[in-house]
Amino acid sequence: MKRLVLGSFLGLFIFGSALAADTVKFTFSNVSYPDGRLGTIQAGSKTTRKGTVTNCGYYSNPNDQYLGEFESDEFSSRNADEVRQFCLDNFNNRQQQ
């Protein structure tokens, strides 16, 4: 009986956690960056009960060299075109390593 109750509680917790966050991931290939380089953007946009966040990772072609990332809690979208444009608009604001 304990196992059944514990299993039910764990299942409800996992299900509730999945409903609490809505994450969408995108990969945009052959993107032309504002500085003229071509590359790939890997982006994720998440909405939770506490707020939103979008992260953009920038990579250059042909060898996927890491160019940096940008993250903002002021934007979130499930629309691929909007996320792509958001990432391109913030390319020059990225954190480089």
Side-chain angles (χ1 to χ4, degrees):
M1 186 67 176
K2 273 187 174 179
R3 283 186 171 169
L4 180 62
V5 171
L6 183 61
S8 297
F9 177 74
L10 184 60
L12 287 173
F13 177 76
I14 292 171
F15 182 70
S17 296
L19 291 177
D22 182 22
T23 304
V24 182
K25 296 189 180 209
F26 303 94
T27 299
F28 305 107
S29 302
N30 298 316
V31 174
S32 179
Y33 294 124
D35 66 1
R37 287 185 274 191
L38 292 177
T40 300
I41 297 174
Q42 292 181 352
S45 194
K46 183 186 334 187
T47 303
T48 67
R49 285 182 271 158
K50 294 184 179 181
T52 63
V53 66
T54 296
N55 180 281
C56 307
Y58 304 96
Y59 302 87
S60 68
N61 288 347
N63 57 359
D64 287 333
Q65 179 185 0
Y66 179 72
L67 300 175
E69 71 178 353
F70 178 78
E71 184 172 291
S72 173
D73 60 0
E74 297 177 6
F75 173 85
S76 179
S77 177
R78 298 180 61 83
N79 182 295
D81 292 332
E82 291 175 0
V83 173
R84 183 180 185 277
Q85 190 60 52
F86 174 81
C87 290
L88 285 173
D89 289 346
N90 287 288
F91 177 76
N92 292 327
N93 300 324
R94 72 193 185 281
Q95 297 287 325
Q96 301 176 24
Q97 290 185 343

PDB file of all heavy atoms in Angstrom, residues 39-73:
ATOM      1  N   GLY A  39      26.172  30.716 -39.853  1.00  0.00           N
ATOM      2  CA  GLY A  39      26.246  29.823 -38.719  1.00  0.00           C
ATOM      3  C   GLY A  39      24.923  29.205 -38.348  1.00  0.00           C
ATOM      4  O   GLY A  39      23.966  29.202 -39.122  1.00  0.00           O
ATOM      5  N   THR A  40      24.884  28.691 -37.137  1.00  0.00           N
ATOM      6  CA  THR A  40      23.721  28.005 -36.583  1.00  0.00           C
ATOM      7  C   THR A  40      23.364  28.635 -35.243  1.00  0.00           C
ATOM      8  O   THR A  40      24.251  28.935 -34.444  1.00  0.00           O
ATOM      9  CB  THR A  40      24.031  26.510 -36.374  1.00  0.00           C
ATOM     10  OG1 THR A  40      24.374  25.931 -37.634  1.00  0.00           O
ATOM     11  CG2 THR A  40      22.849  25.774 -35.788  1.00  0.00           C
ATOM     12  N   ILE A  41      22.082  28.822 -35.024  1.00  0.00           N
ATOM     13  CA  ILE A  41      21.589  29.298 -33.731  1.00  0.00           C
ATOM     14  C   ILE A  41      20.824  28.159 -33.070  1.00  0.00           C
ATOM     15  O   ILE A  41      19.936  27.567 -33.692  1.00  0.00           O
ATOM     16  CB  ILE A  41      20.647  30.510 -33.884  1.00  0.00           C
ATOM     17  CG1 ILE A  41      21.381  31.691 -34.491  1.00  0.00           C
ATOM     18  CG2 ILE A  41      20.040  30.890 -32.533  1.00  0.00           C
ATOM     19  CD1 ILE A  41      20.469  32.874 -34.812  1.00  0.00           C
ATOM     20  N   GLN A  42      21.165  27.863 -31.829  1.00  0.00           N
ATOM     21  CA  GLN A  42      20.400  26.921 -31.027  1.00  0.00           C
ATOM     22  C   GLN A  42      19.709  27.743 -29.953  1.00  0.00           C
ATOM     23  O   GLN A  42      20.369  28.434 -29.176  1.00  0.00           O
ATOM     24  CB  GLN A  42      21.303  25.860 -30.416  1.00  0.00           C
ATOM     25  CG  GLN A  42      21.888  24.941 -31.454  1.00  0.00           C
ATOM     26  CD  GLN A  42      22.766  23.868 -30.850  1.00  0.00           C
ATOM     27  OE1 GLN A  42      23.065  23.875 -29.651  1.00  0.00           O
ATOM     28  NE2 GLN A  42      23.186  22.921 -31.666  1.00  0.00           N
ATOM     29  N   ALA A  43      18.389  27.685 -29.940  1.00  0.00           N
ATOM     30  CA  ALA A  43      17.613  28.535 -29.037  1.00  0.00           C
ATOM     31  C   ALA A  43      16.614  27.716 -28.239  1.00  0.00           C
ATOM     32  O   ALA A  43      16.135  26.679 -28.690  1.00  0.00           O
ATOM     33  CB  ALA A  43      16.887  29.613 -29.832  1.00  0.00           C
ATOM     34  N   GLY A  44      16.303  28.228 -27.064  1.00  0.00           N
ATOM     35  CA  GLY A  44      15.282  27.639 -26.218  1.00  0.00           C
ATOM     36  C   GLY A  44      14.458  28.752 -25.603  1.00  0.00           C
ATOM     37  O   GLY A  44      14.992  29.791 -25.207  1.00  0.00           O
ATOM     38  N   SER A  45      13.155  28.559 -25.556  1.00  0.00           N
ATOM     39  CA  SER A  45      12.257  29.556 -24.991  1.00  0.00           C
ATOM     40  C   SER A  45      11.367  28.856 -23.975  1.00  0.00           C
ATOM     41  O   SER A  45      10.736  27.844 -24.285  1.00  0.00           O
ATOM     42  CB  SER A  45      11.430  30.181 -26.115  1.00  0.00           C
ATOM     43  OG  SER A  45      10.791  31.348 -25.695  1.00  0.00           O
ATOM     44  N   LYS A  46      11.345  29.391 -22.740  1.00  0.00           N
ATOM     45  CA  LYS A  46      10.617  28.726 -21.664  1.00  0.00           C
ATOM     46  C   LYS A  46       9.679  29.709 -20.972  1.00  0.00           C
ATOM     47  O   LYS A  46      10.038  30.842 -20.688  1.00  0.00           O
ATOM     48  CB  LYS A  46      11.595  28.169 -20.641  1.00  0.00           C
ATOM     49  CG  LYS A  46      10.902  27.416 -19.534  1.00  0.00           C
ATOM     50  CD  LYS A  46      11.700  26.917 -18.367  1.00  0.00           C
ATOM     51  CE  LYS A  46      13.083  26.617 -18.407  1.00  0.00           C
ATOM     52  NZ  LYS A  46      13.640  25.987 -17.204  1.00  0.00           N
ATOM     53  N   THR A  47       8.478  29.231 -20.680  1.00  0.00           N
ATOM     54  CA  THR A  47       7.510  29.983 -19.897  1.00  0.00           C
ATOM     55  C   THR A  47       7.162  29.164 -18.660  1.00  0.00           C
ATOM     56  O   THR A  47       6.807  28.000 -18.770  1.00  0.00           O
ATOM     57  CB  THR A  47       6.230  30.258 -20.706  1.00  0.00           C
ATOM     58  OG1 THR A  47       6.574  30.943 -21.898  1.00  0.00           O
ATOM     59  CG2 THR A  47       5.241  31.080 -19.910  1.00  0.00           C
ATOM     60  N   THR A  48       7.292  29.784 -17.487  1.00  0.00           N
ATOM     61  CA  THR A  48       6.911  29.136 -16.235  1.00  0.00           C
ATOM     62  C   THR A  48       5.916  30.034 -15.508  1.00  0.00           C
ATOM     63  O   THR A  48       5.622  31.141 -15.969  1.00  0.00           O
ATOM     64  CB  THR A  48       8.136  28.906 -15.322  1.00  0.00           C
ATOM     65  OG1 THR A  48       8.631  30.175 -14.895  1.00  0.00           O
ATOM     66  CG2 THR A  48       9.220  28.130 -16.032  1.00  0.00           C
ATOM     67  N   ARG A  49       5.465  29.578 -14.376  1.00  0.00           N
ATOM     68  CA  ARG A  49       4.555  30.409 -13.581  1.00  0.00           C
ATOM     69  C   ARG A  49       5.262  31.662 -13.061  1.00  0.00           C
ATOM     70  O   ARG A  49       4.640  32.672 -12.806  1.00  0.00           O
ATOM     71  CB  ARG A  49       3.997  29.619 -12.407  1.00  0.00           C
ATOM     72  CG  ARG A  49       2.932  28.614 -12.840  1.00  0.00           C
ATOM     73  CD  ARG A  49       2.378  27.905 -11.657  1.00  0.00           C
ATOM     74  NE  ARG A  49       3.235  26.729 -11.431  1.00  0.00           N
ATOM     75  CZ  ARG A  49       3.357  26.088 -10.299  1.00  0.00           C
ATOM     76  NH1 ARG A  49       2.695  26.485  -9.248  1.00  0.00           N
ATOM     77  NH2 ARG A  49       4.142  25.044 -10.190  1.00  0.00           N
ATOM     78  N   LYS A  50       6.574  31.596 -12.925  1.00  0.00           N
ATOM     79  CA  LYS A  50       7.344  32.719 -12.389  1.00  0.00           C
ATOM     80  C   LYS A  50       7.806  33.697 -13.458  1.00  0.00           C
ATOM     81  O   LYS A  50       8.237  34.790 -13.134  1.00  0.00           O
ATOM     82  CB  LYS A  50       8.548  32.199 -11.624  1.00  0.00           C
ATOM     83  CG  LYS A  50       8.164  31.440 -10.377  1.00  0.00           C
ATOM     84  CD  LYS A  50       9.377  31.025  -9.606  1.00  0.00           C
ATOM     85  CE  LYS A  50       8.969  30.278  -8.349  1.00  0.00           C
ATOM     86  NZ  LYS A  50      10.126  29.877  -7.568  1.00  0.00           N
ATOM     87  N   GLY A  51       7.772  33.319 -14.727  1.00  0.00           N
ATOM     88  CA  GLY A  51       8.221  34.235 -15.774  1.00  0.00           C
ATOM     89  C   GLY A  51       8.623  33.519 -17.046  1.00  0.00           C
ATOM     90  O   GLY A  51       8.248  32.372 -17.272  1.00  0.00           O
ATOM     91  N   THR A  52       9.396  34.229 -17.848  1.00  0.00           N
ATOM     92  CA  THR A  52       9.827  33.699 -19.145  1.00  0.00           C
ATOM     93  C   THR A  52      11.335  33.843 -19.280  1.00  0.00           C
ATOM     94  O   THR A  52      11.963  34.670 -18.617  1.00  0.00           O
ATOM     95  CB  THR A  52       9.165  34.462 -20.307  1.00  0.00           C
ATOM     96  OG1 THR A  52       9.595  35.822 -20.268  1.00  0.00           O
ATOM     97  CG2 THR A  52       7.666  34.390 -20.232  1.00  0.00           C
ATOM     98  N   VAL A  53      11.922  33.059 -20.165  1.00  0.00           N
ATOM     99  CA  VAL A  53      13.336  33.184 -20.490  1.00  0.00           C
ATOM    100  C   VAL A  53      13.571  32.595 -21.875  1.00  0.00           C
ATOM    101  O   VAL A  53      12.961  31.598 -22.252  1.00  0.00           O
ATOM    102  CB  VAL A  53      14.242  32.501 -19.438  1.00  0.00           C
ATOM    103  CG1 VAL A  53      14.049  31.005 -19.430  1.00  0.00           C
ATOM    104  CG2 VAL A  53      15.700  32.871 -19.651  1.00  0.00           C
ATOM    105  N   THR A  54      14.425  33.263 -22.641  1.00  0.00           N
ATOM    106  CA  THR A  54      14.845  32.758 -23.943  1.00  0.00           C
ATOM    107  C   THR A  54      16.359  32.807 -23.990  1.00  0.00           C
ATOM    108  O   THR A  54      16.976  33.791 -23.594  1.00  0.00           O
ATOM    109  CB  THR A  54      14.246  33.584 -25.085  1.00  0.00           C
ATOM    110  OG1 THR A  54      12.820  33.446 -25.045  1.00  0.00           O
ATOM    111  CG2 THR A  54      14.734  33.108 -26.440  1.00  0.00           C
ATOM    112  N   ASN A  55      16.961  31.714 -24.475  1.00  0.00           N
ATOM    113  CA  ASN A  55      18.408  31.602 -24.588  1.00  0.00           C
ATOM    114  C   ASN A  55      18.768  31.336 -26.035  1.00  0.00           C
ATOM    115  O   ASN A  55      18.154  30.485 -26.678  1.00  0.00           O
ATOM    116  CB  ASN A  55      18.911  30.469 -23.686  1.00  0.00           C
ATOM    117  CG  ASN A  55      20.400  30.318 -23.760  1.00  0.00           C
ATOM    118  OD1 ASN A  55      20.923  29.747 -24.699  1.00  0.00           O
ATOM    119  ND2 ASN A  55      21.085  30.836 -22.769  1.00  0.00           N
ATOM    120  N   CYS A  56      19.775  32.052 -26.551  1.00  0.00           N
ATOM    121  CA  CYS A  56      20.253  31.881 -27.923  1.00  0.00           C
ATOM    122  C   CYS A  56      21.734  31.532 -27.886  1.00  0.00           C
ATOM    123  O   CYS A  56      22.524  32.289 -27.323  1.00  0.00           O
ATOM    124  CB  CYS A  56      20.082  33.171 -28.724  1.00  0.00           C
ATOM    125  SG  CYS A  56      18.419  33.858 -28.698  1.00  0.00           S
ATOM    126  N   GLY A  57      22.114  30.410 -28.465  1.00  0.00           N
ATOM    127  CA  GLY A  57      23.516  30.011 -28.598  1.00  0.00           C
ATOM    128  C   GLY A  57      23.932  30.181 -30.042  1.00  0.00           C
ATOM    129  O   GLY A  57      23.237  29.726 -30.954  1.00  0.00           O
ATOM    130  N   TYR A  58      25.071  30.833 -30.274  1.00  0.00           N
ATOM    131  CA  TYR A  58      25.521  31.166 -31.626  1.00  0.00           C
ATOM    132  C   TYR A  58      26.771  30.356 -31.980  1.00  0.00           C
ATOM    133  O   TYR A  58      27.725  30.300 -31.204  1.00  0.00           O
ATOM    134  CB  TYR A  58      25.849  32.661 -31.710  1.00  0.00           C
ATOM    135  CG  TYR A  58      24.709  33.556 -31.309  1.00  0.00           C
ATOM    136  CD1 TYR A  58      24.622  34.064 -30.019  1.00  0.00           C
ATOM    137  CD2 TYR A  58      23.710  33.898 -32.209  1.00  0.00           C
ATOM    138  CE1 TYR A  58      23.583  34.896 -29.638  1.00  0.00           C
ATOM    139  CE2 TYR A  58      22.659  34.729 -31.842  1.00  0.00           C
ATOM    140  CZ  TYR A  58      22.607  35.224 -30.550  1.00  0.00           C
ATOM    141  OH  TYR A  58      21.568  36.041 -30.180  1.00  0.00           O
ATOM    142  N   TYR A  59      26.763  29.751 -33.173  1.00  0.00           N
ATOM    143  CA  TYR A  59      27.868  28.938 -33.668  1.00  0.00           C
ATOM    144  C   TYR A  59      28.148  29.325 -35.117  1.00  0.00           C
ATOM    145  O   TYR A  59      27.238  29.643 -35.869  1.00  0.00           O
ATOM    146  CB  TYR A  59      27.511  27.444 -33.590  1.00  0.00           C
ATOM    147  CG  TYR A  59      27.174  27.017 -32.188  1.00  0.00           C
ATOM    148  CD1 TYR A  59      25.881  27.145 -31.693  1.00  0.00           C
ATOM    149  CD2 TYR A  59      28.155  26.523 -31.348  1.00  0.00           C
ATOM    150  CE1 TYR A  59      25.574  26.777 -30.392  1.00  0.00           C
ATOM    151  CE2 TYR A  59      27.850  26.147 -30.036  1.00  0.00           C
ATOM    152  CZ  TYR A  59      26.562  26.276 -29.581  1.00  0.00           C
ATOM    153  OH  TYR A  59      26.260  25.924 -28.293  1.00  0.00           O
ATOM    154  N   SER A  60      29.439  29.290 -35.500  1.00  0.00           N
ATOM    155  CA  SER A  60      29.790  29.657 -36.872  1.00  0.00           C
ATOM    156  C   SER A  60      30.013  28.412 -37.719  1.00  0.00           C
ATOM    157  O   SER A  60      30.358  27.353 -37.208  1.00  0.00           O
ATOM    158  CB  SER A  60      31.042  30.536 -36.892  1.00  0.00           C
ATOM    159  OG  SER A  60      32.175  29.787 -36.492  1.00  0.00           O
ATOM    160  N   ASN A  61      29.823  28.554 -39.011  1.00  0.00           N
ATOM    161  CA  ASN A  61      30.106  27.488 -39.970  1.00  0.00           C
ATOM    162  C   ASN A  61      31.545  27.653 -40.416  1.00  0.00           C
ATOM    163  O   ASN A  61      32.074  28.757 -40.396  1.00  0.00           O
ATOM    164  CB  ASN A  61      29.158  27.582 -41.171  1.00  0.00           C
ATOM    165  CG  ASN A  61      27.742  27.172 -40.833  1.00  0.00           C
ATOM    166  OD1 ASN A  61      27.485  26.601 -39.789  1.00  0.00           O
ATOM    167  ND2 ASN A  61      26.820  27.469 -41.708  1.00  0.00           N
ATOM    168  N   PRO A  62      32.242  26.655 -40.863  1.00  0.00           N
ATOM    169  CA  PRO A  62      31.781  25.292 -41.090  1.00  0.00           C
ATOM    170  C   PRO A  62      32.027  24.361 -39.911  1.00  0.00           C
ATOM    171  O   PRO A  62      31.561  23.245 -39.901  1.00  0.00           O
ATOM    172  CB  PRO A  62      32.614  24.846 -42.287  1.00  0.00           C
ATOM    173  CG  PRO A  62      33.919  25.546 -42.106  1.00  0.00           C
ATOM    174  CD  PRO A  62      33.569  26.860 -41.461  1.00  0.00           C
ATOM    175  N   ASN A  63      32.770  24.776 -38.892  1.00  0.00           N
ATOM    176  CA  ASN A  63      33.155  23.845 -37.827  1.00  0.00           C
ATOM    177  C   ASN A  63      32.432  24.061 -36.505  1.00  0.00           C
ATOM    178  O   ASN A  63      32.894  23.614 -35.461  1.00  0.00           O
ATOM    179  CB  ASN A  63      34.665  23.915 -37.589  1.00  0.00           C
ATOM    180  CG  ASN A  63      35.124  25.316 -37.242  1.00  0.00           C
ATOM    181  OD1 ASN A  63      34.328  26.246 -37.191  1.00  0.00           O
ATOM    182  ND2 ASN A  63      36.409  25.476 -37.017  1.00  0.00           N
ATOM    183  N   ASP A  64      31.313  24.745 -36.518  1.00  0.00           N
ATOM    184  CA  ASP A  64      30.503  24.982 -35.313  1.00  0.00           C
ATOM    185  C   ASP A  64      31.296  25.616 -34.171  1.00  0.00           C
ATOM    186  O   ASP A  64      31.136  25.252 -33.010  1.00  0.00           O
ATOM    187  CB  ASP A  64      29.838  23.694 -34.835  1.00  0.00           C
ATOM    188  CG  ASP A  64      28.701  23.268 -35.738  1.00  0.00           C
ATOM    189  OD1 ASP A  64      28.102  24.139 -36.385  1.00  0.00           O
ATOM    190  OD2 ASP A  64      28.414  22.065 -35.788  1.00  0.00           O
ATOM    191  N   GLN A  65      32.135  26.589 -34.504  1.00  0.00           N
ATOM    192  CA  GLN A  65      32.865  27.317 -33.467  1.00  0.00           C
ATOM    193  C   GLN A  65      31.886  28.145 -32.646  1.00  0.00           C
ATOM    194  O   GLN A  65      31.048  28.859 -33.189  1.00  0.00           O
ATOM    195  CB  GLN A  65      33.905  28.236 -34.104  1.00  0.00           C
ATOM    196  CG  GLN A  65      34.677  29.048 -33.091  1.00  0.00           C
ATOM    197  CD  GLN A  65      35.624  30.033 -33.744  1.00  0.00           C
ATOM    198  OE1 GLN A  65      35.710  30.116 -34.953  1.00  0.00           O
ATOM    199  NE2 GLN A  65      36.325  30.792 -32.929  1.00  0.00           N
ATOM    200  N   TYR A  66      32.003  28.042 -31.322  1.00  0.00           N
ATOM    201  CA  TYR A  66      31.111  28.758 -30.406  1.00  0.00           C
ATOM    202  C   TYR A  66      31.401  30.250 -30.461  1.00  0.00           C
ATOM    203  O   TYR A  66      32.532  30.690 -30.289  1.00  0.00           O
ATOM    204  CB  TYR A  66      31.298  28.214 -28.986  1.00  0.00           C
ATOM    205  CG  TYR A  66      30.444  28.879 -27.938  1.00  0.00           C
ATOM    206  CD1 TYR A  66      29.080  28.646 -27.889  1.00  0.00           C
ATOM    207  CD2 TYR A  66      31.009  29.715 -26.994  1.00  0.00           C
ATOM    208  CE1 TYR A  66      28.286  29.242 -26.911  1.00  0.00           C
ATOM    209  CE2 TYR A  66      30.228  30.309 -26.008  1.00  0.00           C
ATOM    210  CZ  TYR A  66      28.869  30.068 -25.980  1.00  0.00           C
ATOM    211  OH  TYR A  66      28.084  30.649 -25.027  1.00  0.00           O
ATOM    212  N   LEU A  67      30.361  31.061 -30.686  1.00  0.00           N
ATOM    213  CA  LEU A  67      30.508  32.510 -30.780  1.00  0.00           C
ATOM    214  C   LEU A  67      29.961  33.241 -29.554  1.00  0.00           C
ATOM    215  O   LEU A  67      30.165  34.440 -29.411  1.00  0.00           O
ATOM    216  CB  LEU A  67      29.795  33.035 -32.034  1.00  0.00           C
ATOM    217  CG  LEU A  67      30.277  32.490 -33.371  1.00  0.00           C
ATOM    218  CD1 LEU A  67      29.396  33.003 -34.497  1.00  0.00           C
ATOM    219  CD2 LEU A  67      31.729  32.865 -33.600  1.00  0.00           C
ATOM    220  N   GLY A  68      29.227  32.543 -28.704  1.00  0.00           N
ATOM    221  CA  GLY A  68      28.672  33.162 -27.510  1.00  0.00           C
ATOM    222  C   GLY A  68      27.190  32.861 -27.375  1.00  0.00           C
ATOM    223  O   GLY A  68      26.611  32.104 -28.159  1.00  0.00           O
ATOM    224  N   GLU A  69      26.572  33.487 -26.354  1.00  0.00           N
ATOM    225  CA  GLU A  69      25.146  33.280 -26.126  1.00  0.00           C
ATOM    226  C   GLU A  69      24.508  34.555 -25.582  1.00  0.00           C
ATOM    227  O   GLU A  69      25.180  35.432 -25.056  1.00  0.00           O
ATOM    228  CB  GLU A  69      24.891  32.115 -25.176  1.00  0.00           C
ATOM    229  CG  GLU A  69      25.276  32.381 -23.748  1.00  0.00           C
ATOM    230  CD  GLU A  69      24.951  31.213 -22.825  1.00  0.00           C
ATOM    231  OE1 GLU A  69      24.311  30.240 -23.252  1.00  0.00           O
ATOM    232  OE2 GLU A  69      25.339  31.287 -21.663  1.00  0.00           O
ATOM    233  N   PHE A  70      23.204  34.616 -25.737  1.00  0.00           N
ATOM    234  CA  PHE A  70      22.423  35.719 -25.196  1.00  0.00           C
ATOM    235  C   PHE A  70      21.221  35.116 -24.498  1.00  0.00           C
ATOM    236  O   PHE A  70      20.596  34.181 -25.007  1.00  0.00           O
ATOM    237  CB  PHE A  70      21.952  36.669 -26.306  1.00  0.00           C
ATOM    238  CG  PHE A  70      21.101  37.785 -25.777  1.00  0.00           C
ATOM    239  CD1 PHE A  70      21.667  38.875 -25.145  1.00  0.00           C
ATOM    240  CD2 PHE A  70      19.719  37.729 -25.883  1.00  0.00           C
ATOM    241  CE1 PHE A  70      20.883  39.902 -24.628  1.00  0.00           C
ATOM    242  CE2 PHE A  70      18.924  38.749 -25.380  1.00  0.00           C
ATOM    243  CZ  PHE A  70      19.508  39.837 -24.757  1.00  0.00           C
ATOM    244  N   GLU A  71      20.887  35.665 -23.322  1.00  0.00           N
ATOM    245  CA  GLU A  71      19.723  35.191 -22.576  1.00  0.00           C
ATOM    246  C   GLU A  71      18.931  36.385 -22.069  1.00  0.00           C
ATOM    247  O   GLU A  71      19.503  37.375 -21.634  1.00  0.00           O
ATOM    248  CB  GLU A  71      20.177  34.327 -21.397  1.00  0.00           C
ATOM    249  CG  GLU A  71      19.028  33.721 -20.630  1.00  0.00           C
ATOM    250  CD  GLU A  71      19.488  32.719 -19.604  1.00  0.00           C
ATOM    251  OE1 GLU A  71      19.969  31.649 -20.014  1.00  0.00           O
ATOM    252  OE2 GLU A  71      19.397  33.026 -18.407  1.00  0.00           O
ATOM    253  N   SER A  72      17.602  36.268 -22.163  1.00  0.00           N
ATOM    254  CA  SER A  72      16.737  37.358 -21.716  1.00  0.00           C
ATOM    255  C   SER A  72      15.502  36.797 -21.033  1.00  0.00           C
ATOM    256  O   SER A  72      14.927  35.802 -21.478  1.00  0.00           O
ATOM    257  CB  SER A  72      16.299  38.209 -22.914  1.00  0.00           C
ATOM    258  OG  SER A  72      15.338  39.157 -22.527  1.00  0.00           O
ATOM    259  N   ASP A  73      15.092  37.472 -19.964  1.00  0.00           N
ATOM    260  CA  ASP A  73      13.851  37.102 -19.293  1.00  0.00           C
ATOM    261  C   ASP A  73      12.714  38.038 -19.689  1.00  0.00           C
ATOM    262  O   ASP A  73      11.669  38.061 -19.063  1.00  0.00           O
ATOM    263  CB  ASP A  73      14.029  37.080 -17.771  1.00  0.00           C
ATOM    264  CG  ASP A  73      14.443  38.426 -17.204  1.00  0.00           C
ATOM    265  OD1 ASP A  73      14.597  39.391 -17.973  1.00  0.00           O
ATOM    266  OD2 ASP A  73      14.621  38.504 -15.985  1.00  0.00           O
TER     267      ASP A  73
END
